[in-house]
Amino acid sequence: MSFKIKKSRKILLSILTAGISSGASASYLWDCVQIDGDWRCNANPNFTEATTPEAIRSPVIDSAASEQNIQQPSGRAISVEKVTAPPVAVKQVAQETATTTTEATSANRTAEQPVEISASDSQAYSKNNRTTEVKITNETPQPTPEPTKAVQTAEPARPEDSSAELDWVNFAPIDAKDLVCKGRYVEPSIWNGVLAQTDTQQAPLYIDADQSSSELGGITTLRGNIVMRQPGRQIESEYGEFDSQNEQAILRTNVRYREPGFLVTSNALSADLRTDTAITNEARYVLHDQHLRGEALAMTRYADQRIESQQSYATFCEPGNDDWGIRSQTMSLYPAEGYGEAWHTRFEVAGVPVFYLPYFYFPLDDTRRTGFLYPSFSSNSTNGLDLAIPYYFNIAPNVDDTLTARIIENRGLMLENEFRYLNRFSMNQLNASYLNSDNLTSEDRWLVNLEHQGNPAPRWTTNVDFTRVSDNNYFDDLTPVNLQVPTATDLNQRASVSYAGSTYTASALVNDYQTIDGGTSPYTRIPQLTLKGYQSLSGFQLGYQVQYSDFQHDSLVDGKRVHLRPSVSYDLNRPWGYIKPEAGVWSSSYELSNGTSPSRIAGFGSLDSGLIFERQGELGTQTLEPRIKLLSVDGDGTDTLLPDQTFFDSGALGFSYTNLFDNFGYAGNDQIAKTQQATVGLQSRIFSLSGREVFHAGIAQAHYLNSSHDPRPGDASGTANQSTLAITAAWRPTETLQIHHDSRMDETDASLLTQNYRLFYYPDSSRMLYTSLRIDEADPANVSRQIDIAGRWPLTNAWSVIGRVTEDLKADENLETRIGAEYQSCCWKVRLTAQRAVIDSSTDFTRENSFYLQFVLRGLGSLGQSEGRQFLEDLTGFNEDKNENF
């Protein structure tokens, strides 16, 4: 039940000195487990301080190895710290003092038929229950190669890249056609059988070689196609020396050292098989799962998977591509913990250093750790440059905090903070921001937001949604950078608790608002208590709703309301159709602050019925579904119960196909529309042979049976004999293309009073087109025509564009224009977006220009702001940050 850090915050960039590196690891002092659904945290006794750059700890061959003439690979000297292995029992062989030289002499011996050396002419090693087995597969002696010398330079050698050597596999041309990355790292499937991961301290060690020569109790020299196998480890080379007493090996020439998810190649390697430690010079390595490769002049791999290197280079780019990389004097990688550290680091772009950091902390995966996140920046004509630098605190697996310092050029220093807390029964988030004495307004600016969702007990739920800002222009001037805060003209300040029984729900609510558009605030509800449910009895549904509300307002008449709504219904469904009768009572009673106590009781009854006809064709199934609903609602006319034609929480329903069939004509419990009507509808649907709905269309109209009725959807005047026609249609020719249409048609001349068209094309995650046209001519004095066009489309594998244009066709004014371009390779992306949008259309169309720049580095995350692309997620629901995964 731990949080996952947001993808946009994946990068932990610590611009610190090495002396304060322990702060970036403070979260690992916690050892937390979940017991009985709750978190228990204690200090971790296995915590070790981060390795400092001055001393890289590397176990070395001890004095016993020196006596046996075992030498470390030649090359740059490594500062080391001796590691003492525990004493072990050594089984002595019968010929302990004898010296035997074994060579391949049998003429019948072939490479295809390996021969195992017997105990009479070779040594059988056993130590800690580990067996060493030597096989000879070639009788031709091979000369001993000279040890390879390390290049004495300040930086690792840069041999010509070979994709195959680093387990890079290119895709087939047809599969790679539309991909930026033409391949991926794939390690061989060898981790089974002998190489299956087990306890290496109790596992046998097998050695294969073309030739071997050994001394009893001494050194075994191996030549040609050497393969050392042990559970979870495999080493290959052309020449090697093995000390069985100390379980140490020196390997030279074409060395390949493998562990699951890790490969290193070099010309010299020293391995201590007892401590599971390997030291290499001039190494090249790959971490397959992290898509990370690197080079180092000297490198040590420890038993805990830790990698420490000197004069190293690392990149998340594919072999042969060094578009960007990290070059450092010393580097430590912790794949198990999911992070890396580097000291005296230069960031290089195409081999050219671009900036320097004394200490750099970076992630290898999504593991959360304390440290700086990548900064973001934007610019507009009002604020100037806006630079945000966040710092992430990984307090515990279920608690974290992000503090962001925003330097706004024309306003001053602003602090934003996001605190998250998760436990077994709730998820909580507290957002806050503060700007002291805004340079443009000379006022303090602030924001507070609290989000809570909880299940404190079975069937119980709790919710809190509270937002408040210092002034009405806060979101226009200071859109939060890292805070996820809902924005609206009426900011919610709401808290509720509810209980869900088997046939009923009970809830309590308090709800206030802050209105920031200068209009009249809605009524507050302090409190509102609701009980609603149903009971089944012989096929009948007995429903009920009881609600008590206390409405308050600073400037309007307020009061208390009690609402009751009992009902009974019967639902009869068959494959060919349905029929549903319903009857009930609607009642609202008030005690108002003006001293009056109005009330209204209205009975209602309805009979909803429909038929379903199907026709099977060669290409699919078509339905024809007529529907008629008879509705009768009593009432006292069009007058509202509240003064000045106001409502506490109600409003007339908008016009739509569905709302023509609504019982009450209003949302909320302050008003009910008196009517006697018959609503007639007809719709048809077409299904493909696979069952997917391809097309549907419907038309509906309400016919009023008497002239005395209240305003209803489709008849705002309440005087017509029938409503306007509601038309709806949707066409889905493919899974990726959808076309929707909704309109309101005048029943007298068939003219379209309102029209709404939407087209959505979404073939894959990189392509999207959206078009919306809205026309409202129902009121000739207030005609509205708007068009909205947006999209994202790749021009090539590397280049893609995004854009959005919103136009007011009636006023002939552009409301928003946004255009951006993205370039991506296999290991980085850059996104640039420019926006020109109207910020005040009340008197004149005042516009503001904004620019957004974002870099995305594979394996590290994003640098910059993504607000310029937020509209894509708003329109489609698709999270653009997902593309950062490459």
Side-chain angles (χ1 to χ4, degrees), residues 437-581:
S437 185
D438 187 336
N439 293 337
L440 296 181
T441 65
S442 300
E443 298 178 351
D444 295 342
R445 315 288 293 274
W446 52 266
L447 173 147
V448 176
N449 168 253
L450 174 62
E451 301 285 341
H452 162 86
Q453 297 178 6
N455 297 99
R459 297 179 177 268
W460 287 90
T461 59
T462 55
N463 286 275
V464 176
D465 178 8
F466 181 94
T467 305
R468 192 165 188 85
V469 294
S470 57
D471 55 87
N472 293 349
N473 297 320
Y474 182 90
F475 290 106
D476 293 333
D477 298 342
L478 301 166
T479 301
V481 173
N482 288 324
L483 305 183
Q484 300 297 318
V485 179
T487 61
T489 56
D490 297 309
L491 300 179
N492 234 336
Q493 298 168 8
R494 172 190 177 105
S496 66
V497 58
S498 62
Y499 178 83
S502 56
T503 61
Y504 69 93
T505 60
S507 63
L509 165 73
V510 292
N511 195 180
D512 196 358
Y513 299 91
Q514 180 186 5
T515 301
I516 60 175
D517 65 348
T520 302
S521 299
Y523 281 91
T524 64
R525 293 174 286 178
I526 307 177
Q528 179 170 284
L529 309 176
T530 305
L531 174 66
K532 58 182 178 180
Y534 69 92
Q535 292 289 336
S536 296
L537 181 63
S538 301
F540 288 88
Q541 298 286 334
L542 305 178
Y544 56 90
Q545 178 176 328
V546 181
Q547 185 179 85
Y548 167 81
S549 304
D550 188 349
F551 296 97
Q552 300 180 16
H553 202 282
D554 294 335
S555 58
L556 300 176
V557 174
D558 52 24
K560 302 176 178 60
R561 184 190 68 197
V562 175
H563 177 76
L564 304 174
R565 192 189 304 174
S567 65
V568 58
S569 64
Y570 188 86
D571 195 355
L572 177 64
N573 277 287
R574 295 293 184 269
W576 45 264
Y578 61 91
I579 184 170
K580 182 180 180 179

Side-chain angles (χ1 to χ4, degrees), residues 95 165 168 250 302 308-309 360 421 529 533 547 574 634 716 740 771:
Q95 300 87 357
E165 286 186 5
W168 180 264
I250 294 294
Y302 292 96
E308 295 183 350
S309 59
F360 179 59
Y421 172 66
L529 309 176
Q547 185 179 85
R574 295 293 184 269
D634 297 333
H740 297 266
T771 300

Side-chain angles (χ1 to χ4, degrees), residues 663-680:
N663 282 350
F664 308 119
Y666 283 84
N669 297 321
D670 287 323
Q671 182 76 335
I672 186 172
K674 174 184 176 181
T675 187
Q676 284 79 42
Q677 69 182 60
T679 305
V680 180

Side-chain angles (χ1 to χ4, degrees), residues 305-323:
Q305 302 182 19
R306 177 166 43 103
I307 302 170
E308 295 183 350
S309 59
Q310 293 178 329
Q311 301 299 336
S312 60
Y313 175 84
T315 181
F316 290 88
C317 296
E318 72 277 17
N321 179 3
D322 290 314
D323 284 351

Side-chain angles (χ1 to χ4, degrees), residues 3 398-400 419-423 425-429:
F3 284 116
N398 60 323
V399 183
D400 65 4
F419 176 80
R420 301 189 299 172
Y421 172 66
L422 177 71
N423 57 29
F425 57 82
S426 70
M427 183 168 60
N428 311 274
Q429 180 171 316

Side-chain angles (χ1 to χ4, degrees), residues 11-15 21 24-25 27-28 337-342 357 359-363 367-372 860:
I11 303 176
L12 306 180
L13 176 60
S14 296
I15 309 177
S21 62
S25 304
S27 62
Y28 277 74
E337 290 80 7
Y339 72 98
E341 296 176 301
L357 289 175
Y359 171 79
F360 179 59
Y361 174 88
F362 57 95
T367 302
R368 299 161 46 233
R369 292 186 63 87
T370 297
F372 279 101
L860 294 185

